[in-house]
């Protein structure tokens, strides 16, 4: 069975994409959130990023051809912007850390 034939993989990919899309739509109003709302949004983004990082690691560790192609496609796409997948995750982490620090500074 291929990596993408797994019902578990398909379900996690679908859920991860839906959760990320929902957070992005919600994030459009981030500036209107109160302090607690901002904290909750950041926590949810961290959780989705952790899930995404784990999901991508599964791709990397899989010997399935399609999984490896997916990893290579991601590397190629990010490479067009001059970054690696690890740099992408590091940048997301730094952004969320800055957002947390900003929330802590404001009353």
């Amino acid at each position: 069975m291929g990596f993408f034939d797994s019902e578990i993989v398909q379900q996690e990919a679908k859920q991860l994409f839906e959760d990320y899309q929902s957070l992005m739509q919600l994030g459009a109003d981030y500036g209107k959130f109160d302090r607690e709302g901002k904290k909750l949004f950041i926590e949810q983004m961290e959780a989705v990023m952790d899930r995404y990082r784990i999901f991508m690691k599964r791709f990397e560790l899989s010997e399935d051809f399609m999984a490896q192609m997916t990893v290579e496609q991601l590397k190629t796409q990010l490479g067009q912007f001059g970054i690696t997948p690890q740099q992408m995750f590091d940048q997301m982490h730094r952004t969320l850390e800055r957002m947390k620090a900003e929330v802590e500074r404001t009353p």
Side-chain angles (χ1 to χ4, degrees):
M1 172 174 10
F3 189 81
F4 291 102
D5 295 331
S6 166
E7 197 171 313
I8 294 169
V9 170
Q10 290 176 17
Q11 183 59 38
E12 176 60 15
K14 181 179 182 287
Q15 192 63 54
L16 191 55
F17 179 75
E18 289 174 359
D19 292 349
Y20 179 77
Q21 290 292 60
S22 294
L23 279 174
M24 289 298 95
Q25 289 174 347
L26 185 64
D29 292 326
Y30 180 82
K32 298 176 186 174
F33 297 168
D34 65 9
R35 187 171 194 259
E36 292 305 310
K38 288 179 180 179
K39 284 181 172 182
L40 184 58
F41 178 81
I42 292 166
E43 287 172 14
Q44 290 176 345
M45 279 300 296
E46 287 175 326
V48 167
M49 289 302 108
D50 286 343
R51 286 172 47 210
Y52 185 54
R53 183 179 289 116
I54 291 167
F55 197 68
M56 287 307 301
K57 187 53 78 175
R58 288 181 184 151
F59 277 89
E60 291 172 12
L61 295 174
S62 174
E63 294 179 9
D64 181 75
F65 176 76
M66 291 305 295
Q68 289 301 310
M69 286 299 300
T70 301
V71 170
E72 289 307 313
Q73 286 175 339
L74 177 64
K75 287 179 181 178
T76 299
Q77 290 170 347
L78 291 174
Q80 292 173 351
F81 297 102
I83 63 172
T84 66
Q86 185 59 50
Q87 289 170 322
M88 175 191 71
F89 285 118
D90 291 346
Q91 181 60 42
M92 289 178 185
H93 176 73
R94 283 191 298 272
T95 298
L96 290 170
E97 288 300 315
R98 280 195 306 270
M99 290 169 73
K100 278 197 276 191
E102 182 181 315
V103 167
E104 293 304 318
R105 281 195 303 269
T106 56

